[in-house]
Amino acid sequence: EGSLTVAELAKKLGKEPSEIIKKLFMLGIMATINQDLDKDAIELICSDYGVEVEEKVVIDETDFESLEIVDDPADLVERPPVVTIMGHVDHGKTTLLDSIRNSKVTEQEAGGITQHIGAYQVVVNNKKITFLDTPGHEAFTTMRARGAQVTDIVILVVAADDGVMPQTVEAINHAKAANVPIVVAVNKIDKPTANPDRVMQELVEYNLVPEEWGGDTIYCKLSALTGEGIDNLLEMILLVSEMEELKANPNRRATGTVIEAKLDKGRGPVATLLVQSGTLRVGDPIVVGSTYGRVRAMTNDIGRRVKEAGPSMPVEITGLNDVPQAGDRFMVFEDEKKARQIGEARAQKQLLEQRSVKTRVSLDDLFEKI
Ligand code: GTP
Ligand code: MG
């Protein structure tokens, strides 16, 4: 760590503390023997003695969320965009998600059994798009509140027969706060009362100016019910994705975020993870939130067993010792022992935090009663 007292520094250098204090004085620094010296002062003294300071960076892997992932740009490759659908109640979010899923996914499924794992991928023009299956603002804000940013593009669904409504505005605000580009899906154009122009006019007030009006917001007129315009929407998503230059390094230990998790009677804790960097493999020692384990089985969004998952791919895994929470981050470690150590330390920390919150609450209660 960056600081040492005068006495500690003297000991390290094999000098008398008084000598160090004298030197510091000459350098214009008044110091006592037990005073902490900052990095600059330590470096000054050391260079005066001709000693080179070698900085040891202590990486706290327990707090792996705050570790910045630094990749050589040469290792980065294109990754699929991760898309969240938001919009006002009844404007057609679920219908749109299902419609996209059915048009693109079902044909690959042998039995046609669609299992919901909280996210799915579709293939458009040989490119993948990942959709988060939990529409609505709650999922988005919960994740963001927990520091996780998983969404690359927001699809804002606005019903053409209803126009901009309170939750439409809320969605815009969320997307803007997260600095995520918005593609507007003007839905329900099959309805006789549909008025897409009105939707565009209303949204101009929120700075979502359509391209055809000289702005840079993409509007897709569609019907989630009939399927009209959905292919175009998917192509536009790819276009935005290309402009965003979404990239990740697949050749490193995987990190990412929990989309959802539950306790399954037969399989134990089950978590849907979105890999954001690196490649996750069966057998990987992993810490997920404050849980840990080894990836035992891994299945994709259509229930098929897979051995690995690269960036932007959602997978369901088993093998954890407990159920993590949506929004928790995960990270793969070099061995099981390390994963266990880190996982236990995190669980301990979480427990302490929860306790201190509880104590505070009950103290408040107590004071209220008095
Ligand atoms: P919440 O989850 O309650 O916020 O609603 P939602 O946004 O998921 O809307 P949902 O997909 O449930 O659709 C609401 C209603 O609108 C349903 O009755 C749909 O069948 C209908 N609907 C959705 N899309 C279209 C469309 O393109 N055209 C028509 N005519 N109806 C639609
Ligand atoms: Mg819905």
Side-chain angles (χ1 to χ4, degrees):
E1 284 296 285
S3 83
L4 279 177
T5 64
V6 172
E8 285 162 347
L9 179 62
K11 200 170 165 206
K12 277 193 199 287
L13 291 169
K15 310 281 175 194
E16 284 301 316
S18 59
E19 194 182 320
I20 305 282
I21 290 172
K22 216 178 282 169
K23 269 207 194 295
L24 282 165
F25 182 76
M26 310 273 266
L27 292 163
I29 302 166
M30 304 288 276
T32 57
I33 187 157
N34 290 319
Q35 189 162 332
D36 269 325
L37 296 174
D38 62 17
K39 209 176 117 223
D40 290 344
I42 295 170
E43 267 173 9
L44 274 173
I45 296 293
C46 289
S47 73
D48 208 63
Y49 283 115
V51 176
E52 250 186 66
V53 186
E54 205 181 285
E55 245 189 283
K56 235 199 230 160
V57 184
V58 184
I59 299 172
D60 180 11
E61 286 178 300
T62 311
D63 184 22
F64 58 75
E65 286 84 353
S66 18
L67 298 180
E68 206 188 329
I69 295 176
V70 187
D71 282 306
D72 185 336
D75 296 331
L76 298 175
V77 296
E78 204 181 290
R79 65 169 176 85
V82 180
V83 179
T84 300
I85 296 184
M86 297 208 272
H88 194 71
V89 181
D90 274 356
H91 278 199
K93 300 177 293 290
T94 305
T95 310
L96 181 58
L97 268 167
D98 289 347
S99 173
I100 292 169
R101 189 183 177 115
N102 293 335
S103 70
K104 297 289 161 190
V105 181
T106 340
E107 53 212 41
Q108 309 158 16
E109 286 172 68
I113 309 153
T114 311
Q115 69 157 27
H116 283 260
I117 67 165
Y120 65 82
Q121 280 190 320
V122 297
V123 180
V124 181
N125 303 337
N126 287 320
K127 295 199 168 193
K128 287 179 180 155
I129 303 175
T130 304
F131 283 91
L132 295 186
D133 215 353
T134 39
H137 313 172
E138 239 172 274
F140 192 81
T141 34
T142 318
M143 296 254 181
R144 283 241 311 143
R146 316 200 65 223
Q149 174 125 350
V150 293
T151 303
D152 299 307
I153 299 169
V154 163
I155 304 297
L156 179 68
V157 179
V158 188
D161 62 338
D162 203 22
V164 173
M165 296 304 253
Q167 278 175 279
T168 315
V169 178
E170 233 176 69
I172 295 170
N173 292 336
H174 288 320
K176 284 192 173 162
N179 207 10
V180 176
I182 295 172
V183 171
V184 182
V186 182
N187 191 29
K188 307 198 186 184
I189 54 158
D190 60 288
K191 284 196 158 185
T193 49
N195 188 351
D197 272 358
R198 201 190 89 200
V199 173
M200 300 201 314
Q201 270 157 21
E202 287 173 345
L203 285 176
V204 165
E205 283 178 43
Y206 298 92
N207 267 323
L208 297 172
V209 184
E211 282 184 313
E212 53 259 58
W213 297 355
D216 56 8
T217 302
I218 297 173
Y219 280 72
C220 299
K221 294 165 196 169
L222 53 89
S223 168
L225 201 65
T226 67
E228 185 189 347
I230 287 190
D231 283 341
N232 177 53
L233 173 71
L234 296 174
E235 276 163 28
M236 289 305 129
I237 293 171
L238 288 180
L239 190 79
V240 174
S241 163
E242 248 164 61
M243 292 190 298
E244 296 287 307
E245 294 184 45
L246 305 170
K247 287 177 178 172
N249 176 5
N251 297 312
R252 58 179 302 142
R253 278 191 236 129
T255 62
T257 302
V258 178
I259 303 301
E260 56 180 42
K262 61 177 185 216
L263 188 63
D264 183 277
K265 259 191 211 154
R267 295 182 295 162
V270 173
T272 296
L273 307 181
L274 178 74
V275 177
Q276 291 176 283
S277 179
T279 299
L280 183 65
R281 296 191 173 82
V282 169
D284 275 350
I286 193 171
V287 177
V288 185
S290 0
T291 73
Y292 63 90
R294 191 182 263 281
V295 179
R296 198 192 306 144
M298 195 152 81
T299 49
N300 66 9
D301 54 347
I302 56 167
R304 294 246 166 86
R305 289 258 180 164
V306 288
K307 288 212 169 78
E308 53 175 50
S312 298
M313 181 161 167
V315 277
E316 194 181 71
I317 68 152
T318 59
L320 300 175
N321 71 327
D322 204 349
V323 184
Q325 283 178 281
D328 276 347
R329 239 68 59 77
F330 75 83
M331 185 155 172
V332 167
F333 284 89
E334 60 264 35
D335 55 54
E336 222 172 337
K337 192 178 149 214
K338 181 98 187 188
R340 175 191 207 104
Q341 242 171 28
I342 304 252
E344 277 172 355
R346 288 168 65 98
Q348 185 67 25
K349 200 173 147 202
Q350 196 191 39
L351 203 67
L352 287 174
E353 276 163 12
Q354 280 167 355
R355 259 192 218 145
S356 80
V357 170
K358 263 190 215 145
T359 322
R360 229 176 295 143
V361 170
S362 50
L363 270 178
D364 284 348
D365 283 352
L366 187 68
F367 283 118
E368 237 161 62
K369 278 174 197 133
I370 291 172

